[in-house]
Amino acid sequence: MSEGIDSQKPGASECSGTQERQASAAGYSLRALFQSSLLYLSGDLGLKLIGLFLVPLYTRVLTPDDYGIIGFAGSLINVLSPVAGLGLIGCLPVLYYSYHGEERTRLISSVVNFTFLYSLAITILILIFGQPVFARFAGAISFNPYIVLPLITLFLTTFYYLPTGIFNMQERALAYSAYSLGLSLVGVGANVLLVLVLRWGALGVLWANLLTGAAGMLVTLVVVRSFYIPTLDRKKLGEILSLSLPALPHLLCSTLSRSADRFFLTGLATLAATGIYSLAMTVSSLVLMVLNGALTALSPHFYRRANAGDPTLAADWARLCTLFIFGGVWVSLGLAMMSAELIQILAPPKYYDTIPLLPFLVLGQALTGLYWLLSPGIGYKRKMWVYPVASFPALAVNLLLNAVLVPRFGAMGAAWAMVASTATQALIFGYFSLRFFPVAYEYRQIGKVILLSATLFAISQLPFFAVFWVGMIFKPILLAL
């Protein structure tokens, strides 16, 4: 896994950076991008599918209340992760192609050193002083161990995306996939042992997450050791902070927006409703898993050509976006159409309330993928203030609708709030993306795909398809259209 990173060590041959700058950036190979997408996708999606097939076993040993605790703990980590890491590691890809050789090593090492010291201090402070705060909105969930374990996991996973970010910018899809797959296997193995064998319930899931985080920290240390130096380059650290800090309010808003539904359900509805909603979110996240594989392949392609000043990038990007949207709509449509059949296969009747939630959550996930697709142009132009400008209104919509809808409609109200907030963010972000990095998107083709998909979904909801075996046979035929 260290292949390709050794060249970034101090004293390594400087020809690698020269070759990188001189390499032709024009054009693209659709086959190469597709193959890279499959590699990026294979690790996460393969283990996601394994986890999905384990759902029938989990739902028989975990109660909806257990799922509620798990969903609350996951939301807690999502909300606090921007505070613990300041988004520095996430901003590394934006600057990766701006430096070469030893200068790139100093950039990465400065980020690693600062992030470690800062996140460790923040985690200790939250553990010491956070209990009274959590007691106000955690309901019946006790601080120790159900809050303490996720907080420790939060620190351990701060560097999870450092190796993936480096592998991605080096366009080493195989190494990226191997890293993701390896850690996912650790997570699945720990969950099988602690949840299915030892029957530790929600506590077993939290311990499995912590063990996976510890394994990820060890692997990260091995991966980065070949180019690590003990330095804090103030200039480079200041440059990346100038990118991450303006985006930090956005990260806080986005994570809170993604997690507010679980907080509202836990406080205003029931823990079982939180569990039902969490299971539905787990299934719907398959959409983002697929879209993330494609976007992971597209991002280094975009930044490499943009930094090289390739004048054909905008036209190529428009075509690639059309293909991305077609694939995303197709995956989303399939999951939304087959939601009833999928839940009946995966879970016992006590979880069937997830079925009406899934189409709405799938739509929200697809809108999040659209927002991701629009982000490279904003990052390249360094217009990081656009992120909070889009996420603040989205968070306001999310909180308002959850407060109004959850007490009356429960989990369905949370799903409606999620769709409205993700649509708000995508629309605002799309406006600024077109303004700062104009692209002549193929709106006619995209519109046809969306219109046809909406029609096919409406047809799939007719009473004829309500019978299980009828849906299993004829819904895939509709999807093939």
Side-chain angles (χ1 to χ4, degrees), residues 325-357:
I325 291 173
F326 172 78
V329 169
W330 191 79
V331 171
S332 302
L333 176 64
L335 188 57
M337 286 173 54
M338 301 295 296
S339 57
E341 292 76 17
L342 185 60
I343 294 301
Q344 289 178 62
I345 292 172
L346 293 177
K350 62 184 177 182
Y351 287 97
Y352 283 4
D353 285 345
T354 60
I355 294 173
L357 302 178

PDB file of all heavy atoms in Angstrom, residues 325-357:
ATOM      1  N   ILE A 325     -25.485  11.287 -13.824  1.00  0.00           N
ATOM      2  CA  ILE A 325     -26.882  11.459 -13.406  1.00  0.00           C
ATOM      3  C   ILE A 325     -27.738  10.297 -13.895  1.00  0.00           C
ATOM      4  O   ILE A 325     -28.613   9.805 -13.172  1.00  0.00           O
ATOM      5  CB  ILE A 325     -27.424  12.806 -13.913  1.00  0.00           C
ATOM      6  CG1 ILE A 325     -26.723  13.952 -13.157  1.00  0.00           C
ATOM      7  CG2 ILE A 325     -28.936  12.901 -13.740  1.00  0.00           C
ATOM      8  CD1 ILE A 325     -27.053  15.328 -13.681  1.00  0.00           C
ATOM      9  N   PHE A 326     -27.485   9.836 -15.120  1.00  0.00           N
ATOM     10  CA  PHE A 326     -28.232   8.680 -15.625  1.00  0.00           C
ATOM     11  C   PHE A 326     -28.022   7.469 -14.710  1.00  0.00           C
ATOM     12  O   PHE A 326     -28.983   6.791 -14.309  1.00  0.00           O
ATOM     13  CB  PHE A 326     -27.797   8.338 -17.047  1.00  0.00           C
ATOM     14  CG  PHE A 326     -28.387   7.040 -17.547  1.00  0.00           C
ATOM     15  CD1 PHE A 326     -29.701   6.998 -17.973  1.00  0.00           C
ATOM     16  CD2 PHE A 326     -27.628   5.888 -17.567  1.00  0.00           C
ATOM     17  CE1 PHE A 326     -30.249   5.799 -18.416  1.00  0.00           C
ATOM     18  CE2 PHE A 326     -28.168   4.691 -18.013  1.00  0.00           C
ATOM     19  CZ  PHE A 326     -29.487   4.641 -18.442  1.00  0.00           C
ATOM     20  N   GLY A 327     -26.767   7.181 -14.368  1.00  0.00           N
ATOM     21  CA  GLY A 327     -26.496   6.047 -13.489  1.00  0.00           C
ATOM     22  C   GLY A 327     -27.103   6.226 -12.114  1.00  0.00           C
ATOM     23  O   GLY A 327     -27.670   5.294 -11.535  1.00  0.00           O
ATOM     24  N   GLY A 328     -27.006   7.453 -11.579  1.00  0.00           N
ATOM     25  CA  GLY A 328     -27.561   7.723 -10.256  1.00  0.00           C
ATOM     26  C   GLY A 328     -29.069   7.582 -10.221  1.00  0.00           C
ATOM     27  O   GLY A 328     -29.645   7.023  -9.272  1.00  0.00           O
ATOM     28  N   VAL A 329     -29.738   8.081 -11.266  1.00  0.00           N
ATOM     29  CA  VAL A 329     -31.194   7.969 -11.331  1.00  0.00           C
ATOM     30  C   VAL A 329     -31.608   6.504 -11.462  1.00  0.00           C
ATOM     31  O   VAL A 329     -32.578   6.055 -10.836  1.00  0.00           O
ATOM     32  CB  VAL A 329     -31.746   8.810 -12.504  1.00  0.00           C
ATOM     33  CG1 VAL A 329     -33.218   8.488 -12.768  1.00  0.00           C
ATOM     34  CG2 VAL A 329     -31.586  10.293 -12.209  1.00  0.00           C
ATOM     35  N   TRP A 330     -30.882   5.745 -12.254  1.00  0.00           N
ATOM     36  CA  TRP A 330     -31.212   4.338 -12.457  1.00  0.00           C
ATOM     37  C   TRP A 330     -31.093   3.552 -11.150  1.00  0.00           C
ATOM     38  O   TRP A 330     -31.977   2.770 -10.794  1.00  0.00           O
ATOM     39  CB  TRP A 330     -30.287   3.748 -13.522  1.00  0.00           C
ATOM     40  CG  TRP A 330     -30.694   2.390 -13.993  1.00  0.00           C
ATOM     41  CD1 TRP A 330     -31.668   2.065 -14.886  1.00  0.00           C
ATOM     42  CD2 TRP A 330     -30.111   1.154 -13.565  1.00  0.00           C
ATOM     43  NE1 TRP A 330     -31.729   0.694 -15.059  1.00  0.00           N
ATOM     44  CE2 TRP A 330     -30.787   0.109 -14.256  1.00  0.00           C
ATOM     45  CE3 TRP A 330     -29.087   0.818 -12.690  1.00  0.00           C
ATOM     46  CZ2 TRP A 330     -30.473  -1.228 -14.081  1.00  0.00           C
ATOM     47  CZ3 TRP A 330     -28.773  -0.530 -12.513  1.00  0.00           C
ATOM     48  CH2 TRP A 330     -29.462  -1.525 -13.212  1.00  0.00           C
ATOM     49  N   VAL A 331     -30.005   3.766 -10.413  1.00  0.00           N
ATOM     50  CA  VAL A 331     -29.822   3.082  -9.136  1.00  0.00           C
ATOM     51  C   VAL A 331     -30.894   3.513  -8.136  1.00  0.00           C
ATOM     52  O   VAL A 331     -31.480   2.683  -7.426  1.00  0.00           O
ATOM     53  CB  VAL A 331     -28.416   3.371  -8.574  1.00  0.00           C
ATOM     54  CG1 VAL A 331     -28.279   2.841  -7.149  1.00  0.00           C
ATOM     55  CG2 VAL A 331     -27.353   2.738  -9.455  1.00  0.00           C
ATOM     56  N   SER A 332     -31.162   4.812  -8.074  1.00  0.00           N
ATOM     57  CA  SER A 332     -32.168   5.326  -7.144  1.00  0.00           C
ATOM     58  C   SER A 332     -33.554   4.778  -7.466  1.00  0.00           C
ATOM     59  O   SER A 332     -34.313   4.388  -6.571  1.00  0.00           O
ATOM     60  CB  SER A 332     -32.194   6.859  -7.192  1.00  0.00           C
ATOM     61  OG  SER A 332     -30.923   7.396  -6.876  1.00  0.00           O
ATOM     62  N   LEU A 333     -33.886   4.763  -8.757  1.00  0.00           N
ATOM     63  CA  LEU A 333     -35.182   4.244  -9.169  1.00  0.00           C
ATOM     64  C   LEU A 333     -35.331   2.772  -8.791  1.00  0.00           C
ATOM     65  O   LEU A 333     -36.377   2.352  -8.274  1.00  0.00           O
ATOM     66  CB  LEU A 333     -35.359   4.414 -10.679  1.00  0.00           C
ATOM     67  CG  LEU A 333     -36.637   3.826 -11.290  1.00  0.00           C
ATOM     68  CD1 LEU A 333     -37.864   4.539 -10.735  1.00  0.00           C
ATOM     69  CD2 LEU A 333     -36.600   3.934 -12.814  1.00  0.00           C
ATOM     70  N   GLY A 334     -34.290   1.987  -9.030  1.00  0.00           N
ATOM     71  CA  GLY A 334     -34.365   0.563  -8.692  1.00  0.00           C
ATOM     72  C   GLY A 334     -34.591   0.338  -7.221  1.00  0.00           C
ATOM     73  O   GLY A 334     -35.426  -0.491  -6.820  1.00  0.00           O
ATOM     74  N   LEU A 335     -33.870   1.068  -6.369  1.00  0.00           N
ATOM     75  CA  LEU A 335     -34.013   0.885  -4.927  1.00  0.00           C
ATOM     76  C   LEU A 335     -35.373   1.368  -4.444  1.00  0.00           C
ATOM     77  O   LEU A 335     -36.001   0.732  -3.583  1.00  0.00           O
ATOM     78  CB  LEU A 335     -32.889   1.632  -4.196  1.00  0.00           C
ATOM     79  CG  LEU A 335     -32.785   1.394  -2.687  1.00  0.00           C
ATOM     80  CD1 LEU A 335     -32.630  -0.084  -2.373  1.00  0.00           C
ATOM     81  CD2 LEU A 335     -31.606   2.181  -2.111  1.00  0.00           C
ATOM     82  N   ALA A 336     -35.854   2.484  -4.990  1.00  0.00           N
ATOM     83  CA  ALA A 336     -37.164   3.003  -4.586  1.00  0.00           C
ATOM     84  C   ALA A 336     -38.290   2.074  -5.022  1.00  0.00           C
ATOM     85  O   ALA A 336     -39.233   1.804  -4.272  1.00  0.00           O
ATOM     86  CB  ALA A 336     -37.377   4.397  -5.174  1.00  0.00           C
ATOM     87  N   MET A 337     -38.203   1.547  -6.254  1.00  0.00           N
ATOM     88  CA  MET A 337     -39.242   0.653  -6.761  1.00  0.00           C
ATOM     89  C   MET A 337     -39.295  -0.652  -5.977  1.00  0.00           C
ATOM     90  O   MET A 337     -40.374  -1.186  -5.700  1.00  0.00           O
ATOM     91  CB  MET A 337     -39.000   0.357  -8.244  1.00  0.00           C
ATOM     92  CG  MET A 337     -39.317   1.499  -9.175  1.00  0.00           C
ATOM     93  SD  MET A 337     -38.822   1.173 -10.895  1.00  0.00           S
ATOM     94  CE  MET A 337     -39.647  -0.371 -11.220  1.00  0.00           C
ATOM     95  N   MET A 338     -38.137  -1.177  -5.611  1.00  0.00           N
ATOM     96  CA  MET A 338     -38.062  -2.493  -4.979  1.00  0.00           C
ATOM     97  C   MET A 338     -38.014  -2.410  -3.455  1.00  0.00           C
ATOM     98  O   MET A 338     -37.678  -3.398  -2.790  1.00  0.00           O
ATOM     99  CB  MET A 338     -36.818  -3.239  -5.477  1.00  0.00           C
ATOM    100  CG  MET A 338     -36.752  -3.456  -6.973  1.00  0.00           C
ATOM    101  SD  MET A 338     -38.067  -4.539  -7.585  1.00  0.00           S
ATOM    102  CE  MET A 338     -37.660  -6.086  -6.766  1.00  0.00           C
ATOM    103  N   SER A 339     -38.349  -1.263  -2.883  1.00  0.00           N
ATOM    104  CA  SER A 339     -38.210  -1.083  -1.435  1.00  0.00           C
ATOM    105  C   SER A 339     -39.058  -2.071  -0.642  1.00  0.00           C
ATOM    106  O   SER A 339     -38.589  -2.649   0.347  1.00  0.00           O
ATOM    107  CB  SER A 339     -38.576   0.356  -1.056  1.00  0.00           C
ATOM    108  OG  SER A 339     -39.896   0.672  -1.477  1.00  0.00           O
ATOM    109  N   ALA A 340     -40.305  -2.296  -1.063  1.00  0.00           N
ATOM    110  CA  ALA A 340     -41.176  -3.203  -0.313  1.00  0.00           C
ATOM    111  C   ALA A 340     -40.628  -4.620  -0.342  1.00  0.00           C
ATOM    112  O   ALA A 340     -40.549  -5.299   0.700  1.00  0.00           O
ATOM    113  CB  ALA A 340     -42.593  -3.160  -0.894  1.00  0.00           C
ATOM    114  N   GLU A 341     -40.241  -5.087  -1.520  1.00  0.00           N
ATOM    115  CA  GLU A 341     -39.730  -6.440  -1.638  1.00  0.00           C
ATOM    116  C   GLU A 341     -38.420  -6.605  -0.868  1.00  0.00           C
ATOM    117  O   GLU A 341     -38.180  -7.637  -0.227  1.00  0.00           O
ATOM    118  CB  GLU A 341     -39.521  -6.797  -3.116  1.00  0.00           C
ATOM    119  CG  GLU A 341     -40.795  -6.923  -3.928  1.00  0.00           C
ATOM    120  CD  GLU A 341     -41.423  -5.580  -4.286  1.00  0.00           C
ATOM    121  OE1 GLU A 341     -40.712  -4.546  -4.186  1.00  0.00           O
ATOM    122  OE2 GLU A 341     -42.594  -5.562  -4.667  1.00  0.00           O
ATOM    123  N   LEU A 342     -37.560  -5.582  -0.926  1.00  0.00           N
ATOM    124  CA  LEU A 342     -36.265  -5.664  -0.251  1.00  0.00           C
ATOM    125  C   LEU A 342     -36.438  -5.775   1.259  1.00  0.00           C
ATOM    126  O   LEU A 342     -35.794  -6.613   1.910  1.00  0.00           O
ATOM    127  CB  LEU A 342     -35.428  -4.433  -0.608  1.00  0.00           C
ATOM    128  CG  LEU A 342     -33.994  -4.396  -0.083  1.00  0.00           C
ATOM    129  CD1 LEU A 342     -33.199  -5.573  -0.625  1.00  0.00           C
ATOM    130  CD2 LEU A 342     -33.321  -3.087  -0.461  1.00  0.00           C
ATOM    131  N   ILE A 343     -37.299  -4.942   1.835  1.00  0.00           N
ATOM    132  CA  ILE A 343     -37.505  -4.973   3.281  1.00  0.00           C
ATOM    133  C   ILE A 343     -38.156  -6.291   3.708  1.00  0.00           C
ATOM    134  O   ILE A 343     -37.809  -6.864   4.750  1.00  0.00           O
ATOM    135  CB  ILE A 343     -38.350  -3.773   3.725  1.00  0.00           C
ATOM    136  CG1 ILE A 343     -37.574  -2.464   3.505  1.00  0.00           C
ATOM    137  CG2 ILE A 343     -38.741  -3.895   5.198  1.00  0.00           C
ATOM    138  CD1 ILE A 343     -36.263  -2.384   4.256  1.00  0.00           C
ATOM    139  N   GLN A 344     -39.079  -6.798   2.900  1.00  0.00           N
ATOM    140  CA  GLN A 344     -39.708  -8.083   3.246  1.00  0.00           C
ATOM    141  C   GLN A 344     -38.694  -9.217   3.239  1.00  0.00           C
ATOM    142  O   GLN A 344     -38.835 -10.192   3.981  1.00  0.00           O
ATOM    143  CB  GLN A 344     -40.840  -8.376   2.258  1.00  0.00           C
ATOM    144  CG  GLN A 344     -42.053  -7.470   2.440  1.00  0.00           C
ATOM    145  CD  GLN A 344     -43.142  -7.756   1.424  1.00  0.00           C
ATOM    146  OE1 GLN A 344     -43.698  -8.849   1.381  1.00  0.00           O
ATOM    147  NE2 GLN A 344     -43.457  -6.771   0.590  1.00  0.00           N
ATOM    148  N   ILE A 345     -37.671  -9.110   2.409  1.00  0.00           N
ATOM    149  CA  ILE A 345     -36.621 -10.140   2.380  1.00  0.00           C
ATOM    150  C   ILE A 345     -35.672  -9.969   3.565  1.00  0.00           C
ATOM    151  O   ILE A 345     -35.257 -10.950   4.194  1.00  0.00           O
ATOM    152  CB  ILE A 345     -35.834 -10.054   1.054  1.00  0.00           C
ATOM    153  CG1 ILE A 345     -36.735 -10.459  -0.115  1.00  0.00           C
ATOM    154  CG2 ILE A 345     -34.597 -10.939   1.102  1.00  0.00           C
ATOM    155  CD1 ILE A 345     -36.101 -10.228  -1.474  1.00  0.00           C
ATOM    156  N   LEU A 346     -35.352  -8.717   3.894  1.00  0.00           N
ATOM    157  CA  LEU A 346     -34.290  -8.454   4.859  1.00  0.00           C
ATOM    158  C   LEU A 346     -34.745  -8.464   6.309  1.00  0.00           C
ATOM    159  O   LEU A 346     -33.939  -8.752   7.201  1.00  0.00           O
ATOM    160  CB  LEU A 346     -33.637  -7.094   4.561  1.00  0.00           C
ATOM    161  CG  LEU A 346     -32.855  -6.975   3.258  1.00  0.00           C
ATOM    162  CD1 LEU A 346     -32.344  -5.557   3.088  1.00  0.00           C
ATOM    163  CD2 LEU A 346     -31.700  -7.961   3.230  1.00  0.00           C
ATOM    164  N   ALA A 347     -35.989  -8.115   6.578  1.00  0.00           N
ATOM    165  CA  ALA A 347     -36.387  -7.857   7.962  1.00  0.00           C
ATOM    166  C   ALA A 347     -37.723  -8.510   8.300  1.00  0.00           C
ATOM    167  O   ALA A 347     -38.557  -8.737   7.412  1.00  0.00           O
ATOM    168  CB  ALA A 347     -36.474  -6.343   8.197  1.00  0.00           C
ATOM    169  N   PRO A 348     -37.943  -8.799   9.593  1.00  0.00           N
ATOM    170  CA  PRO A 348     -39.227  -9.332  10.025  1.00  0.00           C
ATOM    171  C   PRO A 348     -40.303  -8.240  10.004  1.00  0.00           C
ATOM    172  O   PRO A 348     -40.001  -7.056   9.846  1.00  0.00           O
ATOM    173  CB  PRO A 348     -38.938  -9.806  11.456  1.00  0.00           C
ATOM    174  CG  PRO A 348     -37.787  -8.982  11.908  1.00  0.00           C
ATOM    175  CD  PRO A 348     -36.967  -8.722  10.688  1.00  0.00           C
ATOM    176  N   PRO A 349     -41.581  -8.628  10.185  1.00  0.00           N
ATOM    177  CA  PRO A 349     -42.686  -7.654  10.074  1.00  0.00           C
ATOM    178  C   PRO A 349     -42.578  -6.438  10.986  1.00  0.00           C
ATOM    179  O   PRO A 349     -43.090  -5.364  10.642  1.00  0.00           O
ATOM    180  CB  PRO A 349     -43.915  -8.505  10.422  1.00  0.00           C
ATOM    181  CG  PRO A 349     -43.544  -9.894  10.015  1.00  0.00           C
ATOM    182  CD  PRO A 349     -42.076 -10.011  10.324  1.00  0.00           C
ATOM    183  N   LYS A 350     -41.899  -6.550  12.123  1.00  0.00           N
ATOM    184  CA  LYS A 350     -41.813  -5.413  13.034  1.00  0.00           C
ATOM    185  C   LYS A 350     -41.042  -4.234  12.432  1.00  0.00           C
ATOM    186  O   LYS A 350     -41.089  -3.127  12.963  1.00  0.00           O
ATOM    187  CB  LYS A 350     -41.175  -5.826  14.367  1.00  0.00           C
ATOM    188  CG  LYS A 350     -39.743  -6.337  14.251  1.00  0.00           C
ATOM    189  CD  LYS A 350     -39.229  -6.818  15.601  1.00  0.00           C
ATOM    190  CE  LYS A 350     -37.818  -7.404  15.497  1.00  0.00           C
ATOM    191  NZ  LYS A 350     -37.319  -7.914  16.804  1.00  0.00           N
ATOM    192  N   TYR A 351     -40.329  -4.487  11.299  1.00  0.00           N
ATOM    193  CA  TYR A 351     -39.593  -3.422  10.624  1.00  0.00           C
ATOM    194  C   TYR A 351     -40.254  -2.976   9.317  1.00  0.00           C
ATOM    195  O   TYR A 351     -39.666  -2.193   8.581  1.00  0.00           O
ATOM    196  CB  TYR A 351     -38.158  -3.875  10.329  1.00  0.00           C
ATOM    197  CG  TYR A 351     -37.269  -3.943  11.544  1.00  0.00           C
ATOM    198  CD1 TYR A 351     -37.057  -5.145  12.217  1.00  0.00           C
ATOM    199  CD2 TYR A 351     -36.649  -2.792  12.042  1.00  0.00           C
ATOM    200  CE1 TYR A 351     -36.247  -5.214  13.333  1.00  0.00           C
ATOM    201  CE2 TYR A 351     -35.833  -2.856  13.164  1.00  0.00           C
ATOM    202  CZ  TYR A 351     -35.635  -4.067  13.807  1.00  0.00           C
ATOM    203  OH  TYR A 351     -34.827  -4.120  14.925  1.00  0.00           O
ATOM    204  N   TYR A 352     -41.462  -3.441   9.028  1.00  0.00           N
ATOM    205  CA  TYR A 352     -42.090  -3.110   7.749  1.00  0.00           C
ATOM    206  C   TYR A 352     -42.473  -1.631   7.641  1.00  0.00           C
ATOM    207  O   TYR A 352     -42.768  -1.154   6.541  1.00  0.00           O
ATOM    208  CB  TYR A 352     -43.329  -3.982   7.521  1.00  0.00           C
ATOM    209  CG  TYR A 352     -43.004  -5.405   7.096  1.00  0.00           C
ATOM    210  CD1 TYR A 352     -41.679  -5.850   7.017  1.00  0.00           C
ATOM    211  CD2 TYR A 352     -44.008  -6.311   6.784  1.00  0.00           C
ATOM    212  CE1 TYR A 352     -41.375  -7.147   6.649  1.00  0.00           C
ATOM    213  CE2 TYR A 352     -43.715  -7.622   6.409  1.00  0.00           C
ATOM    214  CZ  TYR A 352     -42.392  -8.030   6.351  1.00  0.00           C
ATOM    215  OH  TYR A 352     -42.094  -9.321   5.980  1.00  0.00           O
ATOM    216  N   ASP A 353     -42.475  -0.925   8.754  1.00  0.00           N
ATOM    217  CA  ASP A 353     -42.756   0.521   8.686  1.00  0.00           C
ATOM    218  C   ASP A 353     -41.664   1.288   7.945  1.00  0.00           C
ATOM    219  O   ASP A 353     -41.837   2.478   7.638  1.00  0.00           O
ATOM    220  CB  ASP A 353     -42.899   1.096  10.101  1.00  0.00           C
ATOM    221  CG  ASP A 353     -44.230   0.709  10.741  1.00  0.00           C
ATOM    222  OD1 ASP A 353     -45.132   0.265  10.001  1.00  0.00           O
ATOM    223  OD2 ASP A 353     -44.356   0.839  11.970  1.00  0.00           O
ATOM    224  N   THR A 354     -40.539   0.621   7.653  1.00  0.00           N
ATOM    225  CA  THR A 354     -39.500   1.289   6.868  1.00  0.00           C
ATOM    226  C   THR A 354     -39.878   1.396   5.391  1.00  0.00           C
ATOM    227  O   THR A 354     -39.331   2.238   4.678  1.00  0.00           O
ATOM    228  CB  THR A 354     -38.170   0.513   6.963  1.00  0.00           C
ATOM    229  OG1 THR A 354     -38.372  -0.808   6.461  1.00  0.00           O
ATOM    230  CG2 THR A 354     -37.687   0.428   8.391  1.00  0.00           C
ATOM    231  N   ILE A 355     -40.825   0.567   4.920  1.00  0.00           N
ATOM    232  CA  ILE A 355     -41.134   0.500   3.490  1.00  0.00           C
ATOM    233  C   ILE A 355     -41.603   1.838   2.925  1.00  0.00           C
ATOM    234  O   ILE A 355     -41.062   2.297   1.907  1.00  0.00           O
ATOM    235  CB  ILE A 355     -42.162  -0.620   3.210  1.00  0.00           C
ATOM    236  CG1 ILE A 355     -41.533  -1.979   3.519  1.00  0.00           C
ATOM    237  CG2 ILE A 355     -42.648  -0.576   1.768  1.00  0.00           C
ATOM    238  CD1 ILE A 355     -42.500  -3.148   3.439  1.00  0.00           C
ATOM    239  N   PRO A 356     -42.596   2.507   3.525  1.00  0.00           N
ATOM    240  CA  PRO A 356     -43.019   3.798   2.942  1.00  0.00           C
ATOM    241  C   PRO A 356     -41.973   4.902   3.060  1.00  0.00           C
ATOM    242  O   PRO A 356     -42.035   5.895   2.328  1.00  0.00           O
ATOM    243  CB  PRO A 356     -44.283   4.143   3.737  1.00  0.00           C
ATOM    244  CG  PRO A 356     -44.164   3.385   5.012  1.00  0.00           C
ATOM    245  CD  PRO A 356     -43.447   2.127   4.666  1.00  0.00           C
ATOM    246  N   LEU A 357     -41.000   4.735   3.952  1.00  0.00           N
ATOM    247  CA  LEU A 357     -39.968   5.767   4.121  1.00  0.00           C
ATOM    248  C   LEU A 357     -38.941   5.741   2.991  1.00  0.00           C
ATOM    249  O   LEU A 357     -38.398   6.784   2.602  1.00  0.00           O
ATOM    250  CB  LEU A 357     -39.230   5.578   5.451  1.00  0.00           C
ATOM    251  CG  LEU A 357     -40.037   5.589   6.750  1.00  0.00           C
ATOM    252  CD1 LEU A 357     -39.114   5.343   7.930  1.00  0.00           C
ATOM    253  CD2 LEU A 357     -40.769   6.905   6.917  1.00  0.00           C
TER     254      LEU A 357
END
